[in-house]
Amino acid sequence: MDNGVQEGSVRLGEDAEAVLAGAVSTKRDHRQVLSSLLSGALAGALAKTAVAPLDRTKIIFQEVLTPCLPQEAFRLLYFTYLNEGFLSLWRGNSATMVRVIPYAAIQFSAHEEYKRILGHYYGFRGEALPPWPRLLAGALAGTTAASLTYPLDLVRARMAVTPKEMYSNIFHVFIRISREEGLKTLYFGFTPTVLGVIPYAGLSFFTYESLKSLHREYSGRPQPYPFERMVFGACAGLIGQSASYPLDVVRRRMQTAGVTGHQHGSILSTLRSIVREEGAVRGLYKGLSMNWLKGPIAVGISFTTFDLMQILLRQLQS
């Protein structure tokens, strides 16, 4: 009888330890998710604020027939500053923040979770995933974030290409679109967005993670220096945005059709319209030179900020 009691006590103790271990693991997982959300939100906000004037210039050039040459872009920035003031260069940035903060938070947090899930499936740690799952984790993270925050992206595009008298604030954009064009307008351009996000996010995260992995292998240091992270992020942004840029042009045209005189249409009709009016290369890659300037800066800041925040939060928790 004593043996039975002892065995029961042992089993009870083991069960209690398992429950406690599970609770600790769940708490740790929740902390990791919150840490990723916070780090991603800050990373997105800093990156987009840094390049907001260039981003607005790119969107404007995507909507007009004028070629987006560097001198034309800087001339537009200068005349905008003279006519509307310095802060007008960040017009629409409040809408950008409303979109970017949740988008970046969801994207980075989802990427960490997808890395963990795929790593568990393939038997690897997240940072040591083989190439194909590494690419898949980035694509899934971008798709998840874009699906949840798309209407905010459309609102940001509308505010960037319209005079400030047309829309007074973010809520005014939602109200006018709903009343004048219908709620379905809030998702015009969603399909090219997702089609563009898959190569963009997939290649960006894949390139950045691959460069960090190569750095560990050849430098012997577990972590790169901040400026090395910036360079890795810049390379990731350059590759990702170049691959997905034509779909970005189509997306912007569809998002702003209601206020720029273009007709709402499908992806193919919008694509044909751009090619017919402006030519394949000039139309679909208009503003790419501006993206090559702002994209690497933004992505470099974003990835670097996220990694450094993650390191800082881990140190604070420990």
Side-chain angles (χ1 to χ4, degrees):
M1 183 173 178
D2 290 341
N3 290 338
V5 171
Q6 276 187 332
E7 289 176 2
S9 299
V10 169
R11 282 198 298 271
L12 184 61
E14 290 175 348
D15 291 343
E17 288 179 2
V19 170
L20 182 60
V24 171
S25 177
T26 301
K27 186 176 181 180
R28 190 188 310 115
D29 289 344
H30 288 165
R31 282 183 177 178
Q32 288 175 349
V33 170
L34 289 174
S35 172
S36 298
L37 287 170
L38 178 61
S39 301
L42 181 61
L46 287 178
K48 277 298 185 180
T49 300
V51 299
L54 297 175
D55 202 30
R56 186 187 177 200
T57 302
K58 182 203 74 171
I59 293 174
I60 292 172
F61 270 106
Q62 285 180 339
E63 297 306 318
V64 299
L65 298 179
T66 307
C68 183
L69 301 173
Q71 59 268 30
E72 293 295 330
F74 286 108
R75 185 177 292 115
L76 175 61
L77 284 172
Y78 179 67
F79 279 110
T80 302
Y81 161 70
L82 289 180
N83 296 327
E84 301 180 38
F86 179 71
L87 292 180
S88 68
L89 297 174
W90 277 266
R91 172 165 164 71
N93 195 50
S94 59
T96 300
M97 290 299 101
V98 171
R99 179 190 73 92
V100 161
I101 288 175
Y103 180 92
I106 293 169
Q107 180 176 242
F108 277 107
S109 182
H111 183 246
E112 294 299 306
E113 289 303 302
Y114 285 129
K115 282 201 305 181
R116 182 180 62 80
I117 293 168
L118 292 170
H120 178 74
Y121 180 80
Y122 285 98
F124 289 90
R125 291 184 301 118
E127 64 269 24
L129 284 173
W132 168 243
R134 193 181 300 163
L135 183 67
L136 181 60
L140 288 172
T143 302
T144 301
S147 300
L148 294 175
T149 62
Y150 183 77
L152 295 171
D153 185 43
L154 183 140
V155 167
R156 193 266 299 213
R158 286 289 182 96
M159 292 189 73
V161 300
T162 55
K164 57 185 178 182
E165 295 80 14
M166 187 167 184
Y167 297 121
S168 56
N169 54 51
I170 299 169
F171 299 107
H172 189 206
V173 183
F174 276 110
I175 292 170
R176 285 196 60 175
I177 289 176
S178 302
R179 183 186 303 147
E180 299 173 8
E181 303 174 53
L183 285 173
K184 65 179 182 179
T185 304
L186 292 173
Y187 274 89
F188 274 153
F190 177 70
T191 302
T193 296
V194 172
L195 293 177
V197 158
I198 290 172
Y200 171 69
L203 287 171
S204 295
F205 279 108
F206 170 80
T207 302
Y208 185 69
E209 295 289 330
S210 297
L211 289 174
K212 286 201 301 181
S213 180
L214 288 171
H215 175 272
R216 280 193 299 271
E217 182 179 346
Y218 289 103
S219 72
R221 287 186 283 116
Q223 296 291 345
Y225 296 126
F227 78 89
E228 291 173 325
R229 295 181 192 273
M230 284 285 292
V231 173
F232 298 162
C235 293
L238 191 65
I239 293 171
Q241 292 189 337
S242 297
S244 62
Y245 194 78
L247 285 165
D248 187 48
V249 175
V250 173
R251 171 175 64 113
R252 290 300 180 206
R253 178 67 66 88
M254 294 178 72
Q255 286 178 334
T256 59
V259 293
T260 57
H262 297 104
Q263 291 186 343
H264 289 302
S266 65
I267 298 175
L268 289 178
S269 64
T270 303
L271 189 64
R272 283 196 297 265
S273 175
I274 293 171
V275 173
R276 184 176 61 252
E277 294 173 8
E278 306 173 55
V281 176
R282 178 172 292 184
L284 295 176
Y285 287 91
K286 180 170 56 181
L288 181 58
S289 59
M290 181 64 67
N291 246 36
W292 282 343
L293 175 61
K294 80 175 189 65
I297 296 172
V299 179
I301 292 173
S302 180
F303 278 129
T304 302
T305 302
F306 178 79
D307 278 357
L308 295 181
M309 276 295 296
Q310 286 287 86
I311 293 170
L312 175 62
L313 289 174
R314 279 196 295 268
Q315 290 174 346
L316 291 175
Q317 288 174 5
S318 63

